[in-house]
Amino acid sequence: MRTNTDPTLYWIGLSSIPGVGRITFRKLANHFGSPERALSAPLEGLKNVDGLSDKLIAGITTFSWREQAEQELAKAADTGVEIITMDDPAYPGNLRTTPDPPLYLYVKGTLRAEDANAVAIVGTRNPTHYGRTVTHRIAYELTAAGFTIVSGLARGIDTQAHKGALAAKGRTIAVLGCGIDVAYPPENKALIEEISGSGAVISENPFGTQPEAGYFPARNRIISGLSRGTVIIEAAEDSGSLITAKDTIEQGRKLFAVPGNIGSATSVGPNSLIKQGATLVESAADILKGLGIQAADKRSAVRSHPLPSLTQEEEKVFQCISNEPKHIDLIMNECKSTAGKLGGALINLELKGLAKQLPGKYFVRQDS
């Protein structure tokens, strides 16, 4: 349990003072040698720090930071949350080397050294079936190859990325744009618990911070900062995922994008990124290659879900359907099958988890 003599107290205390952002925090900590010394510095000492206003100096000397910091530590102890500061060896190395890392992280779950091999996957909150399927498959394949999947727990692509990693029995990290005690979106509350049991849920925001638009761009830099590379899957022209792509480039990390249908609004983002030099991704193998990794370098080769045994008719029908919805009449024409045989094969493929019927007698592959 954290105590009031723990150095973390002073990190939280100094950053809780109004006007002390990350830049000012670092300036003070560097000048005095530690957050604790900055908080106990005399008035004349604070006046010797370049760039501090009289108002800020007055705030540092009078603000009741200790009470607020002790409350945060008590909440962390009560909820099983670890607060990891930048000087803690457990702080993620990938993130530490970025231009503007969080001063400390609230962590529910565990961070491990192996998480240095991480890839971020982000995209639209309103994906197509194609986007959901591709995301799940790539996350699964990367996890099977030994990678940790990082995403933002948002609806859509982010959620599928986390689920793909969990389906492969691997690790995934969710970065929140709110307090770590706030379930957002609410429908992902159970997913948060699942992720914290086999990975980590993290935030840089104090307990109780509600999700607001301004917090998400800051969250995005953490997503890319934790990772060796970022994959963009379906993103509109004004998508927040493109902020993550920008952060990825600025942090000197690899940027990947999955191409999409040129008629879809959610393809504008990734297709544009590919034009600008992002690596085109069709499978996890493209990501491994982009990171300079051969499958033989990993304990597990990239693999997808093993297919159950299929009859000759089921295999023929399975090859006729794809990740894009296809009407049953077109499938029957392409497979040169009869209505009876096709109907039976499609039912069996659904039971085996390989096909899904959509409204209007359309069918798609169900890779997840």
Side-chain angles (χ1 to χ4, degrees):
M1 179 182 292
R2 300 285 192 180
T3 67
N4 59 7
T5 59
D6 192 293
T8 307
L9 177 81
Y10 306 105
W11 285 71
I12 298 173
L14 183 57
S15 66
S16 71
I17 296 173
V20 178
R22 291 187 296 272
I23 294 175
T24 302
F25 181 104
R26 293 187 178 101
K27 181 187 293 185
L28 288 164
N30 290 336
H31 183 89
F32 292 104
S34 72
E36 181 179 3
R37 290 177 182 172
L39 285 166
S40 60
L43 184 63
E44 290 304 315
L46 290 170
K47 288 181 177 179
N48 291 330
V49 181
D50 291 337
L52 297 188
S53 67
D54 291 340
K55 181 180 179 181
L56 181 55
I57 291 173
I60 294 172
T61 57
T62 61
F63 186 74
S64 301
W65 60 265
R66 183 178 291 274
E67 181 181 358
Q68 187 161 331
E70 287 177 345
Q71 288 176 355
E72 285 293 286
L73 289 177
K75 289 176 184 176
D78 291 342
T79 56
V81 170
E82 185 75 8
I83 300 177
I84 300 176
T85 61
M86 275 194 67
D87 64 348
D88 191 317
Y91 192 94
N94 287 348
L95 188 59
R96 194 197 305 273
T97 60
T98 59
D100 184 26
L103 300 171
Y104 48 88
L105 298 169
Y106 294 80
V107 180
K108 187 174 184 180
T110 57
L111 293 174
R112 297 180 182 173
E114 66 197 71
D115 295 329
N117 256 344
V119 171
I121 301 177
V122 296
T124 180
R125 287 173 170 79
N126 300 293
T128 64
H129 179 82
Y130 163 80
R132 290 192 298 270
T133 302
V134 169
T135 300
H136 193 285
R137 187 182 75 236
I138 289 177
Y140 188 104
E141 292 174 348
L142 285 170
T143 304
F147 279 81
T148 296
I149 301 301
V150 180
S151 197
L153 201 78
R155 298 180 178 99
I157 296 299
D158 290 23
T159 292
Q160 287 303 312
H162 293 303
K163 288 183 175 180
L166 292 169
K169 309 298 182 184
R171 290 184 57 76
T172 182
I173 297 174
V175 185
L176 306 183
C178 53
I180 200 158
D181 57 335
V182 177
Y184 184 79
E187 65 267 25
N188 275 352
K189 185 174 182 179
L191 182 59
I192 289 173
E193 295 303 317
E194 192 174 0
I195 292 171
S196 64
S198 60
V201 179
I202 69 175
S203 176
E204 68 173 331
N205 302 306
F207 285 102
T209 302
Q210 295 301 308
E212 295 179 8
Y215 293 125
F216 290 96
R219 175 208 60 172
N220 293 348
R221 86 188 194 288
I222 301 176
I223 293 174
S224 57
L226 287 166
S227 311
R228 296 180 59 182
T230 298
V231 186
I232 308 296
I233 303 177
E234 292 198 325
E237 191 173 9
D238 58 351
S239 171
S241 300
L242 300 185
I243 297 176
T244 312
K246 181 174 179 289
D247 290 334
T248 300
I249 295 170
E250 290 177 351
Q251 291 165 347
R253 309 293 165 81
K254 295 285 187 178
L255 182 61
F256 304 90
V258 173
N261 187 322
I262 61 173
S264 171
T266 57
S267 299
V268 174
N271 289 357
S272 176
L273 292 173
I274 291 169
K275 290 178 183 177
Q276 296 171 51
T279 299
L280 187 152
V281 170
E282 294 178 310
S283 70
D286 295 319
I287 299 167
L288 293 180
K289 183 178 179 181
L291 294 173
I293 298 172
Q294 299 298 322
D297 294 337
K298 307 302 295 176
R299 292 182 183 178
S300 307
V302 174
R303 59 181 173 82
S304 189
H305 302 271
L307 289 177
S309 59
L310 302 177
T311 66
Q312 186 175 357
E313 184 68 20
E314 290 166 359
E315 175 66 30
K316 181 173 69 173
V317 174
F318 182 69
Q319 295 304 322
C320 285
I321 59 177
S322 67
N323 293 327
E324 290 295 333
K326 190 177 290 187
H327 194 268
I328 191 170
D329 291 342
L330 181 58
I331 299 171
M332 183 164 60
N333 182 58
E334 291 181 353
C335 292
K336 296 180 173 54
S337 183
T338 64
K341 287 183 178 181
L342 177 61
L346 286 170
I347 290 173
N348 288 337
L349 288 174
E350 284 191 84
L351 292 173
K352 293 176 180 180
L354 297 177
K356 180 179 180 180
Q357 183 173 358
L358 303 177
K361 292 191 176 181
Y362 283 85
F363 290 83
V364 292
R365 285 193 180 187
Q366 185 71 13
D367 292 340
S368 61

